[in-house]
Amino acid sequence: MMNDLGAVLRAWRDRTDPAAVGLTNASPRRVAGLRRGELAALAGISTEYVARLEQGRAATPSAQVCASLARALRLSDDEEAHLMRLAGFAAAPDRIPRLIPDSLHRLVGHLGDTPAAVYDAGWRLLHWNRLFAAVFGDPAGATADERNALIVQFESRNPRVRQTDAERAYFEQSLVADLRATSARYPNDPDVAALVARMAGNDRFRRLWDLRAVASHESAHKTAVHPDVGAIPLDTCVLTTQNTDLRVVVLTPRPDTTAREKLDRLS
């Protein structure tokens, strides 16, 4: 498998147009494609490590390194999935997917004037854009618990989010029904089972769980409370990806409010 991985990395490096990845002032080349050092710089790894990967002398790269290589080489989603399989990260059918295709990275990044984020099927925050961090606080230093929307909603609450009683009731009922659907799709996933067991200790969660409602969480309303610009009323739209079961959460300014102006100030 490692030899196959090395061969495919070399082939993808050779086919990559330096100009397409921003290397417009590169010195004259003997062959087309990227040099090892250029790929290493784009992916944030060492040139020696790229060489060892291509020669089959390195240990299996991490999923994070694979994702960085995929972005650097401008791989398609199918090619990135192939790279992950060669590195031993093929998604198991009984585990919720957490690998974000490069197309989703690009999509979230391009939504520069709209807060957007990607969650897994257990509502763990995986990726976000700059405006999401500006509105809700940067999750980069958050713990795993602080990145799970269910744990935050039922156990701690985000001080930057305000909901009416009706908004909170709908949101919590919808999240719990969505988690039950996830638990049915991934009955053998230990992380899902652990999340359900943990949340069962919360009275509000347990009452909703016992209703046995099953549904997809698709929308919500909330107000972000920012220390500099104040209240930002937002409508939430949740898009579920077909093949990866990831949730793309896009928060748009509520009509007839000052939310758009405030988001523009933060962006």
Side-chain angles (χ1 to χ4, degrees), residues 160-202:
R160 288 202 181 186
V161 174
R162 187 173 69 210
Q163 294 171 306
T164 66
D165 289 344
E167 288 171 347
R168 185 180 67 210
Y170 170 80
F171 181 61
E172 292 182 354
Q173 182 176 351
S174 183
L175 272 184
V176 173
D178 188 280
L179 181 61
R180 184 171 283 282
T182 294
S183 68
R185 287 196 301 278
Y186 305 99
N188 299 316
D189 189 302
D191 292 337
V192 173
L195 178 61
V196 173
R198 170 177 177 161
M199 298 308 301
N202 181 280

mmCIF file of all heavy atoms in Angstrom, residues 160-202:
data_model
loop_
_atom_site.group_PDB
_atom_site.id
_atom_site.type_symbol
_atom_site.label_atom_id
_atom_site.label_comp_id
_atom_site.label_asym_id
_atom_site.label_seq_id
_atom_site.Cartn_x
_atom_site.Cartn_y
_atom_site.Cartn_z
ATOM 1 N N ARG A 160 -22.243 33.470 23.934
ATOM 2 C CA ARG A 160 -22.439 34.339 22.776
ATOM 3 C C ARG A 160 -23.704 33.984 21.993
ATOM 4 O O ARG A 160 -23.924 34.511 20.909
ATOM 5 C CB ARG A 160 -21.228 34.268 21.848
ATOM 6 C CG ARG A 160 -19.996 34.972 22.403
ATOM 7 C CD ARG A 160 -19.058 35.333 21.279
ATOM 8 N NE ARG A 160 -17.868 35.986 21.754
ATOM 9 C CZ ARG A 160 -16.934 36.500 20.939
ATOM 10 N NH1 ARG A 160 -17.093 36.424 19.625
ATOM 11 N NH2 ARG A 160 -15.868 37.081 21.430
ATOM 12 N N VAL A 161 -24.514 33.082 22.508
ATOM 13 C CA VAL A 161 -25.752 32.698 21.821
ATOM 14 C C VAL A 161 -26.932 32.941 22.743
ATOM 15 O O VAL A 161 -26.924 32.536 23.907
ATOM 16 C CB VAL A 161 -25.715 31.211 21.400
ATOM 17 C CG1 VAL A 161 -27.066 30.797 20.820
ATOM 18 C CG2 VAL A 161 -24.615 30.979 20.375
ATOM 19 N N ARG A 162 -27.945 33.622 22.205
ATOM 20 C CA ARG A 162 -29.175 33.862 22.953
ATOM 21 C C ARG A 162 -30.347 33.287 22.169
ATOM 22 O O ARG A 162 -30.437 33.465 20.954
ATOM 23 C CB ARG A 162 -29.366 35.366 23.168
ATOM 24 C CG ARG A 162 -30.538 35.716 24.084
ATOM 25 C CD ARG A 162 -30.549 37.206 24.364
ATOM 26 N NE ARG A 162 -30.901 37.976 23.179
ATOM 27 C CZ ARG A 162 -30.466 39.208 22.936
ATOM 28 N NH1 ARG A 162 -29.637 39.800 23.786
ATOM 29 N NH2 ARG A 162 -30.848 39.845 21.842
ATOM 30 N N GLN A 163 -31.236 32.569 22.868
ATOM 31 C CA GLN A 163 -32.429 31.992 22.247
ATOM 32 C C GLN A 163 -33.647 32.305 23.107
ATOM 33 O O GLN A 163 -33.551 32.350 24.347
ATOM 34 C CB GLN A 163 -32.290 30.467 22.138
ATOM 35 C CG GLN A 163 -31.196 29.993 21.204
ATOM 36 C CD GLN A 163 -30.980 28.489 21.305
ATOM 37 O OE1 GLN A 163 -30.768 27.958 22.384
ATOM 38 N NE2 GLN A 163 -31.041 27.809 20.165
ATOM 39 N N THR A 164 -34.767 32.512 22.451
ATOM 40 C CA THR A 164 -36.013 32.599 23.199
ATOM 41 C C THR A 164 -36.367 31.206 23.694
ATOM 42 O O THR A 164 -35.789 30.202 23.257
ATOM 43 C CB THR A 164 -37.144 33.143 22.322
ATOM 44 O OG1 THR A 164 -37.429 32.173 21.288
ATOM 45 C CG2 THR A 164 -36.764 34.479 21.674
ATOM 46 N N ASP A 165 -37.327 31.134 24.598
ATOM 47 C CA ASP A 165 -37.750 29.818 25.101
ATOM 48 C C ASP A 165 -38.240 28.936 23.959
ATOM 49 O O ASP A 165 -37.940 27.738 23.907
ATOM 50 C CB ASP A 165 -38.860 29.980 26.144
ATOM 51 C CG ASP A 165 -38.340 30.576 27.448
ATOM 52 O OD1 ASP A 165 -37.110 30.578 27.655
ATOM 53 O OD2 ASP A 165 -39.170 31.053 28.243
ATOM 54 N N ALA A 166 -38.984 29.532 23.023
ATOM 55 C CA ALA A 166 -39.509 28.751 21.891
ATOM 56 C C ALA A 166 -38.382 28.297 20.974
ATOM 57 O O ALA A 166 -38.379 27.151 20.493
ATOM 58 C CB ALA A 166 -40.528 29.576 21.111
ATOM 59 N N GLU A 167 -37.418 29.194 20.711
ATOM 60 C CA GLU A 167 -36.288 28.826 19.861
ATOM 61 C C GLU A 167 -35.464 27.716 20.494
ATOM 62 O O GLU A 167 -35.062 26.776 19.808
ATOM 63 C CB GLU A 167 -35.406 30.056 19.615
ATOM 64 C CG GLU A 167 -36.022 31.083 18.686
ATOM 65 C CD GLU A 167 -35.230 32.376 18.642
ATOM 66 O OE1 GLU A 167 -34.350 32.578 19.510
ATOM 67 O OE2 GLU A 167 -35.498 33.194 17.741
ATOM 68 N N ARG A 168 -35.236 27.808 21.789
ATOM 69 C CA ARG A 168 -34.450 26.788 22.475
ATOM 70 C C ARG A 168 -35.171 25.443 22.477
ATOM 71 O O ARG A 168 -34.563 24.402 22.219
ATOM 72 C CB ARG A 168 -34.158 27.208 23.913
ATOM 73 C CG ARG A 168 -33.232 26.224 24.640
ATOM 74 C CD ARG A 168 -32.965 26.676 26.063
ATOM 75 N NE ARG A 168 -34.176 26.609 26.853
ATOM 76 C CZ ARG A 168 -34.450 27.415 27.877
ATOM 77 N NH1 ARG A 168 -33.612 28.376 28.201
ATOM 78 N NH2 ARG A 168 -35.561 27.269 28.571
ATOM 79 N N ALA A 169 -36.472 25.462 22.729
ATOM 80 C CA ALA A 169 -37.229 24.209 22.767
ATOM 81 C C ALA A 169 -37.190 23.516 21.410
ATOM 82 O O ALA A 169 -36.975 22.301 21.319
ATOM 83 C CB ALA A 169 -38.668 24.479 23.194
ATOM 84 N N TYR A 170 -37.396 24.293 20.336
ATOM 85 C CA TYR A 170 -37.373 23.699 19.000
ATOM 86 C C TYR A 170 -35.976 23.176 18.673
ATOM 87 O O TYR A 170 -35.822 22.062 18.146
ATOM 88 C CB TYR A 170 -37.798 24.724 17.946
ATOM 89 C CG TYR A 170 -37.559 24.232 16.544
ATOM 90 C CD1 TYR A 170 -38.445 23.350 15.930
ATOM 91 C CD2 TYR A 170 -36.407 24.613 15.847
ATOM 92 C CE1 TYR A 170 -38.209 22.869 14.649
ATOM 93 C CE2 TYR A 170 -36.162 24.131 14.575
ATOM 94 C CZ TYR A 170 -37.055 23.264 13.980
ATOM 95 O OH TYR A 170 -36.797 22.789 12.721
ATOM 96 N N PHE A 171 -34.963 23.985 18.964
ATOM 97 C CA PHE A 171 -33.589 23.616 18.639
ATOM 98 C C PHE A 171 -33.187 22.319 19.344
ATOM 99 O O PHE A 171 -32.627 21.403 18.730
ATOM 100 C CB PHE A 171 -32.658 24.757 19.039
ATOM 101 C CG PHE A 171 -31.209 24.524 18.738
ATOM 102 C CD1 PHE A 171 -30.771 24.326 17.432
ATOM 103 C CD2 PHE A 171 -30.264 24.519 19.758
ATOM 104 C CE1 PHE A 171 -29.428 24.119 17.143
ATOM 105 C CE2 PHE A 171 -28.918 24.310 19.487
ATOM 106 C CZ PHE A 171 -28.503 24.122 18.180
ATOM 107 N N GLU A 172 -33.498 22.227 20.623
ATOM 108 C CA GLU A 172 -33.104 21.038 21.378
ATOM 109 C C GLU A 172 -33.871 19.804 20.916
ATOM 110 O O GLU A 172 -33.293 18.726 20.777
ATOM 111 C CB GLU A 172 -33.310 21.298 22.870
ATOM 112 C CG GLU A 172 -32.346 22.345 23.407
ATOM 113 C CD GLU A 172 -32.483 22.586 24.896
ATOM 114 O OE1 GLU A 172 -33.424 22.019 25.515
ATOM 115 O OE2 GLU A 172 -31.658 23.325 25.460
ATOM 116 N N GLN A 173 -35.155 19.959 20.659
ATOM 117 C CA GLN A 173 -35.933 18.819 20.166
ATOM 118 C C GLN A 173 -35.398 18.346 18.819
ATOM 119 O O GLN A 173 -35.267 17.141 18.565
ATOM 120 C CB GLN A 173 -37.398 19.200 20.047
ATOM 121 C CG GLN A 173 -38.294 18.056 19.576
ATOM 122 C CD GLN A 173 -39.763 18.454 19.566
ATOM 123 O OE1 GLN A 173 -40.134 19.510 20.059
ATOM 124 N NE2 GLN A 173 -40.596 17.600 19.012
ATOM 125 N N SER A 174 -35.054 19.304 17.950
ATOM 126 C CA SER A 174 -34.544 18.957 16.620
ATOM 127 C C SER A 174 -33.179 18.282 16.700
ATOM 128 O O SER A 174 -32.915 17.287 16.015
ATOM 129 C CB SER A 174 -34.468 20.227 15.767
ATOM 130 O OG SER A 174 -34.047 19.924 14.458
ATOM 131 N N LEU A 175 -32.287 18.794 17.561
ATOM 132 C CA LEU A 175 -30.964 18.181 17.714
ATOM 133 C C LEU A 175 -31.061 16.747 18.233
ATOM 134 O O LEU A 175 -30.367 15.852 17.746
ATOM 135 C CB LEU A 175 -30.116 19.005 18.687
ATOM 136 C CG LEU A 175 -29.295 20.169 18.153
ATOM 137 C CD1 LEU A 175 -28.461 20.766 19.285
ATOM 138 C CD2 LEU A 175 -28.388 19.741 17.009
ATOM 139 N N VAL A 176 -31.929 16.537 19.215
ATOM 140 C CA VAL A 176 -32.052 15.203 19.805
ATOM 141 C C VAL A 176 -32.638 14.222 18.796
ATOM 142 O O VAL A 176 -32.193 13.071 18.683
ATOM 143 C CB VAL A 176 -32.887 15.255 21.093
ATOM 144 C CG1 VAL A 176 -33.165 13.854 21.617
ATOM 145 C CG2 VAL A 176 -32.162 16.077 22.152
ATOM 146 N N ALA A 177 -33.637 14.654 18.039
ATOM 147 C CA ALA A 177 -34.214 13.781 17.012
ATOM 148 C C ALA A 177 -33.182 13.444 15.948
ATOM 149 O O ALA A 177 -33.134 12.319 15.430
ATOM 150 C CB ALA A 177 -35.430 14.452 16.389
ATOM 151 N N ASP A 178 -32.327 14.409 15.627
ATOM 152 C CA ASP A 178 -31.265 14.181 14.656
ATOM 153 C C ASP A 178 -30.245 13.181 15.203
ATOM 154 O O ASP A 178 -29.774 12.288 14.483
ATOM 155 C CB ASP A 178 -30.582 15.515 14.330
ATOM 156 C CG ASP A 178 -29.601 15.409 13.186
ATOM 157 O OD1 ASP A 178 -28.463 14.957 13.408
ATOM 158 O OD2 ASP A 178 -29.963 15.781 12.063
ATOM 159 N N LEU A 179 -29.900 13.313 16.485
ATOM 160 C CA LEU A 179 -28.953 12.368 17.087
ATOM 161 C C LEU A 179 -29.524 10.959 17.117
ATOM 162 O O LEU A 179 -28.790 9.984 16.911
ATOM 163 C CB LEU A 179 -28.592 12.814 18.503
ATOM 164 C CG LEU A 179 -27.585 11.917 19.241
ATOM 165 C CD1 LEU A 179 -26.246 11.867 18.511
ATOM 166 C CD2 LEU A 179 -27.397 12.378 20.675
ATOM 167 N N ARG A 180 -30.821 10.820 17.342
ATOM 168 C CA ARG A 180 -31.406 9.474 17.314
ATOM 169 C C ARG A 180 -31.288 8.874 15.914
ATOM 170 O O ARG A 180 -31.014 7.678 15.764
ATOM 171 C CB ARG A 180 -32.872 9.488 17.761
ATOM 172 C CG ARG A 180 -33.442 8.069 17.831
ATOM 173 C CD ARG A 180 -34.802 8.011 18.478
ATOM 174 N NE ARG A 180 -34.769 8.120 19.929
ATOM 175 C CZ ARG A 180 -34.435 7.111 20.744
ATOM 176 N NH1 ARG A 180 -34.036 5.946 20.254
ATOM 177 N NH2 ARG A 180 -34.477 7.272 22.051
ATOM 178 N N ALA A 181 -31.499 9.684 14.887
ATOM 179 C CA ALA A 181 -31.326 9.190 13.523
ATOM 180 C C ALA A 181 -29.881 8.763 13.293
ATOM 181 O O ALA A 181 -29.611 7.727 12.675
ATOM 182 C CB ALA A 181 -31.734 10.270 12.523
ATOM 183 N N THR A 182 -28.933 9.553 13.803
ATOM 184 C CA THR A 182 -27.517 9.201 13.669
ATOM 185 C C THR A 182 -27.200 7.898 14.391
ATOM 186 O O THR A 182 -26.473 7.042 13.870
ATOM 187 C CB THR A 182 -26.641 10.339 14.226
ATOM 188 O OG1 THR A 182 -26.791 11.496 13.399
ATOM 189 C CG2 THR A 182 -25.167 9.939 14.250
ATOM 190 N N SER A 183 -27.755 7.720 15.589
ATOM 191 C CA SER A 183 -27.478 6.499 16.350
ATOM 192 C C SER A 183 -28.028 5.264 15.646
ATOM 193 O O SER A 183 -27.481 4.167 15.787
ATOM 194 C CB SER A 183 -28.061 6.611 17.763
ATOM 195 O OG SER A 183 -29.474 6.611 17.739
ATOM 196 N N ALA A 184 -29.094 5.444 14.863
ATOM 197 C CA ALA A 184 -29.640 4.318 14.107
ATOM 198 C C ALA A 184 -28.772 3.988 12.891
ATOM 199 O O ALA A 184 -28.606 2.823 12.533
ATOM 200 C CB ALA A 184 -31.064 4.630 13.666
ATOM 201 N N ARG A 185 -28.204 5.030 12.271
ATOM 202 C CA ARG A 185 -27.335 4.799 11.111
ATOM 203 C C ARG A 185 -25.993 4.206 11.517
ATOM 204 O O ARG A 185 -25.373 3.482 10.741
ATOM 205 C CB ARG A 185 -27.119 6.104 10.339
ATOM 206 C CG ARG A 185 -28.307 6.571 9.541
ATOM 207 C CD ARG A 185 -27.911 7.629 8.522
ATOM 208 N NE ARG A 185 -27.306 8.797 9.134
ATOM 209 C CZ ARG A 185 -27.991 9.809 9.683
ATOM 210 N NH1 ARG A 185 -29.317 9.776 9.692
ATOM 211 N NH2 ARG A 185 -27.373 10.836 10.213
ATOM 212 N N TYR A 186 -25.520 4.567 12.717
ATOM 213 C CA TYR A 186 -24.200 4.114 13.163
ATOM 214 C C TYR A 186 -24.333 3.438 14.532
ATOM 215 O O TYR A 186 -23.790 3.932 15.541
ATOM 216 C CB TYR A 186 -23.242 5.304 13.251
ATOM 217 C CG TYR A 186 -23.131 6.088 11.963
ATOM 218 C CD1 TYR A 186 -23.863 7.272 11.784
ATOM 219 C CD2 TYR A 186 -22.322 5.653 10.919
ATOM 220 C CE1 TYR A 186 -23.780 7.991 10.610
ATOM 221 C CE2 TYR A 186 -22.229 6.376 9.741
ATOM 222 C CZ TYR A 186 -22.965 7.541 9.588
ATOM 223 O OH TYR A 186 -22.878 8.261 8.420
ATOM 224 N N PRO A 187 -25.037 2.304 14.604
ATOM 225 C CA PRO A 187 -25.300 1.682 15.904
ATOM 226 C C PRO A 187 -24.049 1.148 16.595
ATOM 227 O O PRO A 187 -24.072 0.915 17.806
ATOM 228 C CB PRO A 187 -26.259 0.540 15.550
ATOM 229 C CG PRO A 187 -25.967 0.221 14.115
ATOM 230 C CD PRO A 187 -25.627 1.546 13.485
ATOM 231 N N ASN A 188 -22.958 0.951 15.840
ATOM 232 C CA ASN A 188 -21.747 0.391 16.430
ATOM 233 C C ASN A 188 -20.642 1.419 16.638
ATOM 234 O O ASN A 188 -19.520 1.053 17.002
ATOM 235 C CB ASN A 188 -21.216 -0.745 15.537
ATOM 236 C CG ASN A 188 -22.209 -1.879 15.398
ATOM 237 O OD1 ASN A 188 -22.819 -2.289 16.387
ATOM 238 N ND2 ASN A 188 -22.381 -2.377 14.188
ATOM 239 N N ASP A 189 -20.964 2.691 16.425
ATOM 240 C CA ASP A 189 -19.949 3.721 16.611
ATOM 241 C C ASP A 189 -19.802 4.016 18.103
ATOM 242 O O ASP A 189 -20.750 4.475 18.747
ATOM 243 C CB ASP A 189 -20.343 5.000 15.865
ATOM 244 C CG ASP A 189 -19.216 6.020 15.852
ATOM 245 O OD1 ASP A 189 -18.755 6.407 16.951
ATOM 246 O OD2 ASP A 189 -18.799 6.439 14.760
ATOM 247 N N PRO A 190 -18.621 3.761 18.688
ATOM 248 C CA PRO A 190 -18.468 3.966 20.138
ATOM 249 C C PRO A 190 -18.594 5.420 20.555
ATOM 250 O O PRO A 190 -19.028 5.715 21.674
ATOM 251 C CB PRO A 190 -17.067 3.413 20.428
ATOM 252 C CG PRO A 190 -16.351 3.459 19.114
ATOM 253 C CD PRO A 190 -17.389 3.236 18.063
ATOM 254 N N ASP A 191 -18.219 6.357 19.675
ATOM 255 C CA ASP A 191 -18.325 7.771 20.026
ATOM 256 C C ASP A 191 -19.782 8.203 20.125
ATOM 257 O O ASP A 191 -20.155 8.983 21.011
ATOM 258 C CB ASP A 191 -17.594 8.632 18.994
ATOM 259 C CG ASP A 191 -16.086 8.441 19.035
ATOM 260 O OD1 ASP A 191 -15.578 8.005 20.090
ATOM 261 O OD2 ASP A 191 -15.426 8.728 18.024
ATOM 262 N N VAL A 192 -20.611 7.703 19.211
ATOM 263 C CA VAL A 192 -22.037 8.023 19.264
ATOM 264 C C VAL A 192 -22.654 7.427 20.524
ATOM 265 O O VAL A 192 -23.424 8.102 21.236
ATOM 266 C CB VAL A 192 -22.756 7.515 18.001
ATOM 267 C CG1 VAL A 192 -24.273 7.706 18.132
ATOM 268 C CG2 VAL A 192 -22.240 8.235 16.760
ATOM 269 N N ALA A 193 -22.316 6.172 20.809
ATOM 270 C CA ALA A 193 -22.857 5.524 22.006
ATOM 271 C C ALA A 193 -22.434 6.258 23.272
ATOM 272 O O ALA A 193 -23.237 6.456 24.197
ATOM 273 C CB ALA A 193 -22.409 4.065 22.057
ATOM 274 N N ALA A 194 -21.182 6.706 23.324
ATOM 275 C CA ALA A 194 -20.693 7.428 24.498
ATOM 276 C C ALA A 194 -21.385 8.773 24.642
ATOM 277 O O ALA A 194 -21.700 9.207 25.767
ATOM 278 C CB ALA A 194 -19.184 7.619 24.390
ATOM 279 N N LEU A 195 -21.652 9.432 23.524
ATOM 280 C CA LEU A 195 -22.348 10.717 23.582
ATOM 281 C C LEU A 195 -23.768 10.545 24.107
ATOM 282 O O LEU A 195 -24.223 11.306 24.972
ATOM 283 C CB LEU A 195 -22.367 11.361 22.192
ATOM 284 C CG LEU A 195 -23.113 12.692 22.074
ATOM 285 C CD1 LEU A 195 -22.477 13.750 22.973
ATOM 286 C CD2 LEU A 195 -23.132 13.163 20.614
ATOM 287 N N VAL A 196 -24.480 9.547 23.599
ATOM 288 C CA VAL A 196 -25.843 9.295 24.056
ATOM 289 C C VAL A 196 -25.857 8.953 25.548
ATOM 290 O O VAL A 196 -26.690 9.457 26.315
ATOM 291 C CB VAL A 196 -26.496 8.172 23.231
ATOM 292 C CG1 VAL A 196 -27.852 7.780 23.827
ATOM 293 C CG2 VAL A 196 -26.667 8.606 21.778
ATOM 294 N N ALA A 197 -24.914 8.109 25.977
ATOM 295 C CA ALA A 197 -24.858 7.722 27.387
ATOM 296 C C ALA A 197 -24.573 8.927 28.270
ATOM 297 O O ALA A 197 -25.171 9.092 29.346
ATOM 298 C CB ALA A 197 -23.791 6.647 27.588
ATOM 299 N N ARG A 198 -23.676 9.774 27.826
ATOM 300 C CA ARG A 198 -23.358 10.969 28.615
ATOM 301 C C ARG A 198 -24.555 11.898 28.701
ATOM 302 O O ARG A 198 -24.903 12.386 29.781
ATOM 303 C CB ARG A 198 -22.173 11.709 27.988
ATOM 304 C CG ARG A 198 -21.935 13.081 28.606
ATOM 305 C CD ARG A 198 -20.734 13.768 28.030
ATOM 306 N NE ARG A 198 -20.573 15.106 28.579
ATOM 307 C CZ ARG A 198 -19.435 15.788 28.539
ATOM 308 N NH1 ARG A 198 -18.369 15.247 27.988
ATOM 309 N NH2 ARG A 198 -19.366 17.001 29.050
ATOM 310 N N MET A 199 -25.194 12.153 27.550
ATOM 311 C CA MET A 199 -26.296 13.106 27.526
ATOM 312 C C MET A 199 -27.512 12.592 28.286
ATOM 313 O O MET A 199 -28.342 13.375 28.760
ATOM 314 C CB MET A 199 -26.682 13.430 26.081
ATOM 315 C CG MET A 199 -25.567 14.085 25.263
ATOM 316 S SD MET A 199 -24.852 15.537 26.059
ATOM 317 C CE MET A 199 -26.292 16.565 26.229
ATOM 318 N N ALA A 200 -27.620 11.278 28.417
ATOM 319 C CA ALA A 200 -28.770 10.706 29.141
ATOM 320 C C ALA A 200 -28.801 11.134 30.601
ATOM 321 O O ALA A 200 -29.834 11.027 31.274
ATOM 322 C CB ALA A 200 -28.759 9.188 29.032
ATOM 323 N N GLY A 201 -27.678 11.635 31.100
ATOM 324 C CA GLY A 201 -27.655 12.133 32.461
ATOM 325 C C GLY A 201 -28.267 13.511 32.615
ATOM 326 O O GLY A 201 -28.423 14.003 33.742
ATOM 327 N N ASN A 202 -28.602 14.136 31.495
ATOM 328 C CA ASN A 202 -29.223 15.460 31.524
ATOM 329 C C ASN A 202 -30.739 15.308 31.447
ATOM 330 O O ASN A 202 -31.254 14.649 30.535
ATOM 331 C CB ASN A 202 -28.700 16.292 30.349
ATOM 332 C CG ASN A 202 -29.272 17.689 30.314
ATOM 333 O OD1 ASN A 202 -30.396 17.886 29.862
ATOM 334 N ND2 ASN A 202 -28.498 18.656 30.780
#
